[in-house]
PDB file of all heavy atoms in Angstrom:
ATOM      1  N   ALA A   7      22.778  16.102   1.247  1.00  0.00           N
ATOM      2  CA  ALA A   7      23.428  15.124   0.376  1.00  0.00           C
ATOM      3  C   ALA A   7      24.188  14.072   1.191  1.00  0.00           C
ATOM      4  O   ALA A   7      24.142  12.884   0.883  1.00  0.00           O
ATOM      5  CB  ALA A   7      24.388  15.836  -0.601  1.00  0.00           C
ATOM      6  N   GLN A   8      24.896  14.523   2.239  1.00  0.00           N
ATOM      7  CA  GLN A   8      25.615  13.575   3.072  1.00  0.00           C
ATOM      8  C   GLN A   8      24.653  12.633   3.793  1.00  0.00           C
ATOM      9  O   GLN A   8      24.912  11.414   3.875  1.00  0.00           O
ATOM     10  CB  GLN A   8      26.467  14.358   4.081  1.00  0.00           C
ATOM     11  CG  GLN A   8      27.617  15.139   3.459  1.00  0.00           C
ATOM     12  CD  GLN A   8      28.336  16.016   4.451  1.00  0.00           C
ATOM     13  OE1 GLN A   8      27.794  16.345   5.507  1.00  0.00           O
ATOM     14  NE2 GLN A   8      29.551  16.401   4.147  1.00  0.00           N
ATOM     15  N   ALA A   9      23.560  13.196   4.301  1.00  0.00           N
ATOM     16  CA  ALA A   9      22.569  12.355   4.984  1.00  0.00           C
ATOM     17  C   ALA A   9      21.916  11.367   3.995  1.00  0.00           C
ATOM     18  O   ALA A   9      21.607  10.242   4.348  1.00  0.00           O
ATOM     19  CB  ALA A   9      21.506  13.215   5.642  1.00  0.00           C
ATOM     20  N   GLY A  10      21.708  11.844   2.772  1.00  0.00           N
ATOM     21  CA  GLY A  10      21.144  10.944   1.755  1.00  0.00           C
ATOM     22  C   GLY A  10      22.046   9.780   1.469  1.00  0.00           C
ATOM     23  O   GLY A  10      21.594   8.632   1.293  1.00  0.00           O
ATOM     24  N   ALA A  11      23.358  10.027   1.425  1.00  0.00           N
ATOM     25  CA  ALA A  11      24.330   8.922   1.203  1.00  0.00           C
ATOM     26  C   ALA A  11      24.291   7.952   2.373  1.00  0.00           C
ATOM     27  O   ALA A  11      24.362   6.742   2.188  1.00  0.00           O
ATOM     28  CB  ALA A  11      25.725   9.497   1.024  1.00  0.00           C
ATOM     29  N   LEU A  12      24.184   8.470   3.596  1.00  0.00           N
ATOM     30  CA  LEU A  12      24.097   7.611   4.779  1.00  0.00           C
ATOM     31  C   LEU A  12      22.823   6.805   4.756  1.00  0.00           C
ATOM     32  O   LEU A  12      22.798   5.656   5.209  1.00  0.00           O
ATOM     33  CB  LEU A  12      24.195   8.452   6.055  1.00  0.00           C
ATOM     34  CG  LEU A  12      25.523   9.103   6.355  1.00  0.00           C
ATOM     35  CD1 LEU A  12      25.424  10.002   7.578  1.00  0.00           C
ATOM     36  CD2 LEU A  12      26.625   8.057   6.532  1.00  0.00           C
ATOM     37  N   GLU A  13      21.724   7.378   4.235  1.00  0.00           N
ATOM     38  CA  GLU A  13      20.457   6.658   4.156  1.00  0.00           C
ATOM     39  C   GLU A  13      20.565   5.482   3.182  1.00  0.00           C
ATOM     40  O   GLU A  13      20.034   4.406   3.428  1.00  0.00           O
ATOM     41  CB  GLU A  13      19.345   7.603   3.732  1.00  0.00           C
ATOM     42  CG  GLU A  13      18.018   6.939   3.411  1.00  0.00           C
ATOM     43  CD  GLU A  13      17.420   6.199   4.588  1.00  0.00           C
ATOM     44  OE1 GLU A  13      17.878   6.406   5.737  1.00  0.00           O
ATOM     45  OE2 GLU A  13      16.474   5.422   4.384  1.00  0.00           O
ATOM     46  N   VAL A  14      21.275   5.693   2.065  1.00  0.00           N
ATOM     47  CA  VAL A  14      21.501   4.593   1.115  1.00  0.00           C
ATOM     48  C   VAL A  14      22.287   3.490   1.795  1.00  0.00           C
ATOM     49  O   VAL A  14      21.972   2.311   1.659  1.00  0.00           O
ATOM     50  CB  VAL A  14      22.225   5.125  -0.140  1.00  0.00           C
ATOM     51  CG1 VAL A  14      22.611   3.944  -1.037  1.00  0.00           C
ATOM     52  CG2 VAL A  14      21.331   6.091  -0.908  1.00  0.00           C
ATOM     53  N   GLU A  15      23.324   3.887   2.532  1.00  0.00           N
ATOM     54  CA  GLU A  15      24.141   2.884   3.240  1.00  0.00           C
ATOM     55  C   GLU A  15      23.304   2.145   4.283  1.00  0.00           C
ATOM     56  O   GLU A  15      23.406   0.925   4.425  1.00  0.00           O
ATOM     57  CB  GLU A  15      25.318   3.591   3.942  1.00  0.00           C
ATOM     58  CG  GLU A  15      26.228   2.644   4.706  1.00  0.00           C
ATOM     59  CD  GLU A  15      27.365   3.369   5.393  1.00  0.00           C
ATOM     60  OE1 GLU A  15      27.503   4.593   5.164  1.00  0.00           O
ATOM     61  OE2 GLU A  15      28.099   2.715   6.147  1.00  0.00           O
ATOM     62  N   ARG A  16      22.431   2.892   4.993  1.00  0.00           N
ATOM     63  CA  ARG A  16      21.570   2.252   5.990  1.00  0.00           C
ATOM     64  C   ARG A  16      20.631   1.246   5.345  1.00  0.00           C
ATOM     65  O   ARG A  16      20.410   0.149   5.855  1.00  0.00           O
ATOM     66  CB  ARG A  16      20.748   3.307   6.730  1.00  0.00           C
ATOM     67  CG  ARG A  16      19.893   2.758   7.860  1.00  0.00           C
ATOM     68  CD  ARG A  16      18.923   3.810   8.419  1.00  0.00           C
ATOM     69  NE  ARG A  16      17.850   4.056   7.483  1.00  0.00           N
ATOM     70  CZ  ARG A  16      16.706   3.368   7.448  1.00  0.00           C
ATOM     71  NH1 ARG A  16      16.521   2.351   8.289  1.00  0.00           N
ATOM     72  NH2 ARG A  16      15.772   3.656   6.594  1.00  0.00           N
ATOM     73  N   GLY A  17      20.076   1.612   4.188  1.00  0.00           N
ATOM     74  CA  GLY A  17      19.199   0.704   3.483  1.00  0.00           C
ATOM     75  C   GLY A  17      19.895  -0.580   3.054  1.00  0.00           C
ATOM     76  O   GLY A  17      19.341  -1.684   3.168  1.00  0.00           O
ATOM     77  N   ILE A  18      21.137  -0.445   2.592  1.00  0.00           N
ATOM     78  CA  ILE A  18      21.889  -1.625   2.155  1.00  0.00           C
ATOM     79  C   ILE A  18      22.198  -2.540   3.349  1.00  0.00           C
ATOM     80  O   ILE A  18      22.015  -3.760   3.306  1.00  0.00           O
ATOM     81  CB  ILE A  18      23.202  -1.204   1.444  1.00  0.00           C
ATOM     82  CG1 ILE A  18      22.873  -0.472   0.137  1.00  0.00           C
ATOM     83  CG2 ILE A  18      24.104  -2.414   1.182  1.00  0.00           C
ATOM     84  CD1 ILE A  18      24.089   0.124  -0.552  1.00  0.00           C
ATOM     85  N   LEU A  19      22.660  -1.922   4.447  1.00  0.00           N
ATOM     86  CA  LEU A  19      22.988  -2.716   5.647  1.00  0.00           C
ATOM     87  C   LEU A  19      21.736  -3.395   6.204  1.00  0.00           C
ATOM     88  O   LEU A  19      21.795  -4.544   6.655  1.00  0.00           O
ATOM     89  CB  LEU A  19      23.612  -1.803   6.715  1.00  0.00           C
ATOM     90  CG  LEU A  19      25.012  -1.275   6.380  1.00  0.00           C
ATOM     91  CD1 LEU A  19      25.483  -0.326   7.484  1.00  0.00           C
ATOM     92  CD2 LEU A  19      26.008  -2.419   6.237  1.00  0.00           C
ATOM     93  N   ALA A  20      20.610  -2.682   6.165  1.00  0.00           N
ATOM     94  CA  ALA A  20      19.366  -3.283   6.670  1.00  0.00           C
ATOM     95  C   ALA A  20      18.942  -4.469   5.821  1.00  0.00           C
ATOM     96  O   ALA A  20      18.513  -5.498   6.332  1.00  0.00           O
ATOM     97  CB  ALA A  20      18.270  -2.215   6.687  1.00  0.00           C
ATOM     98  N   ALA A  21      19.086  -4.339   4.494  1.00  0.00           N
ATOM     99  CA  ALA A  21      18.693  -5.428   3.619  1.00  0.00           C
ATOM    100  C   ALA A  21      19.597  -6.646   3.831  1.00  0.00           C
ATOM    101  O   ALA A  21      19.120  -7.787   3.864  1.00  0.00           O
ATOM    102  CB  ALA A  21      18.781  -4.966   2.153  1.00  0.00           C
TER     103      ALA A  21
END
Side-chain angles (χ1 to χ4, degrees):
Q8 292 174 340
L12 291 175
E13 172 61 14
V14 172
E15 180 181 355
R16 185 189 73 87
I18 294 174
L19 291 176

